[in-house]
């Protein structure tokens, strides 16, 4: 038996057999979702639906968090953390919807995320050193979102915040679906 590490947390296991090549197995080892934000949802796994055909939009996955009792009544800084798994992360749109239901911040848009199948622990903050567009899989760091979170400045932190996840692109490829695991938000 031999173990070799592969891309995106995959460990390849080879067992010897009578054939010269042996039998290969792949194990996907990933950390459990451990949120570092103050308010969070860990209701996953929830499927992220894939379009069934080109130009056939899907219903987005919506995950709300009710924030109450937060002492921040005038936001000056926001951190958002998202745990998702997807076969083609470049197909995903991630958006934060504020309690007013009108203010929407694009965290990541199609073709923003790159890489192949994996679990992504995405953290977003306006003061991160790197933009999400320049990040590389497996995304275990903090990134500036596609659109700035500072549009939320001055809002009250209390209310229902919603993460909207959508697979925007049809790819007739087996295994190109995904799952939501957890998300969280913190305010200053």
């Amino acid at each position: 038996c031999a173990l070799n590490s592969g891309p995106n947390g995959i460990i390849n296991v080879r067992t010897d057999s009578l054939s010269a090549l042996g039998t290969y197995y792949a194990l996907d080892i990933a950390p459990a979702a451990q949120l570092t934000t103050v308010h969070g949802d860990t209701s996953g796994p929830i499927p992220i639906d894939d379009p069934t055909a080109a130009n056939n939009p899907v219903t987005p996955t919506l995950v709300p968090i009710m924030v109450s009792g937060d002492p921040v009544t005038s936001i000056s800084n926001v951190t958002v953390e998202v745990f998702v798994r997807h076969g083609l992360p470049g197909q995903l749109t991630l958006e934060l919807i504020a309690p007013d239901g009108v203010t929407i911040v694009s965290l990541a848009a199609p073709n923003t995320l790159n890489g192949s199948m994996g679990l992504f622990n995405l953290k977003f903050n306006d003061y991160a050193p790197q933009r999400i567009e320049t990040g590389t899989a497996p995304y275990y760091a903090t990134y500036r979102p596609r659109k700035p979170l500072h549009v939320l400045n001055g809002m009250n932190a209390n209310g229902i915040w919603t993460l909207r996840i959508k697979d925007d692109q049809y790819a007739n490829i087996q295994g190109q679906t995904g799952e939501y695991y957890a998300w969280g938000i913190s305010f200053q």
Side-chain angles (χ1 to χ4, degrees):
C1 178
L3 296 175
N4 299 305
S5 64
N8 298 324
I10 303 226
I11 296 175
N12 295 308
V13 179
R14 182 178 58 85
T15 60
D16 291 327
S17 69
L18 297 176
S19 75
L21 298 177
T23 304
Y24 286 86
Y25 302 92
L27 303 173
D28 189 358
I29 308 295
Q34 305 230 347
L35 296 173
T36 59
T37 49
V38 174
H39 308 283
D41 172 87
T42 57
S43 63
I46 297 171
I48 299 170
D49 291 332
D50 192 39
T52 55
N55 300 316
N56 184 19
V58 297
T59 302
T61 302
L62 301 171
V63 188
I65 292 177
M66 176 59 181
V67 175
S68 65
D70 195 295
V72 177
T73 57
S74 181
I75 293 172
S76 63
N77 189 14
V78 178
T79 299
V80 176
E81 187 172 11
V82 181
F83 281 88
V84 293
R85 178 189 301 272
H86 199 277
L88 282 175
Q91 295 180 343
L92 294 179
T93 296
L94 303 173
E95 295 171 318
L96 176 65
I97 304 170
D100 67 5
V102 176
T103 306
I104 299 172
V105 178
S106 174
L107 303 172
N111 301 315
T112 300
L113 303 173
N114 62 50
S116 59
M117 180 65 169
L119 178 70
F120 302 98
N121 175 11
L122 297 160
K123 245 186 214 179
F124 299 97
N125 182 279
D126 282 347
Y127 300 102
Q130 185 176 8
R131 294 197 51 79
I132 188 64
E133 293 89 347
T134 62
T136 56
Y139 296 103
Y140 288 106
T142 302
Y143 303 93
R144 287 193 313 273
R146 184 169 178 268
K147 298 292 182 182
L149 290 160
H150 71 254
V151 298
L152 305 169
N153 287 0
M155 289 186 172
N156 190 319
N158 295 290
I160 298 174
W161 294 84
T162 303
L163 176 68
R164 178 167 47 198
I165 308 168
K166 187 174 168 190
D167 185 332
D168 286 314
Q169 299 173 353
Y170 171 67
N172 191 17
I173 304 169
Q174 183 178 359
Q176 303 312 317
T177 59
E179 292 179 315
Y180 155 85
Y181 289 96
W183 85 279
I185 192 164
S186 292
F187 307 98
Q188 292 178 351

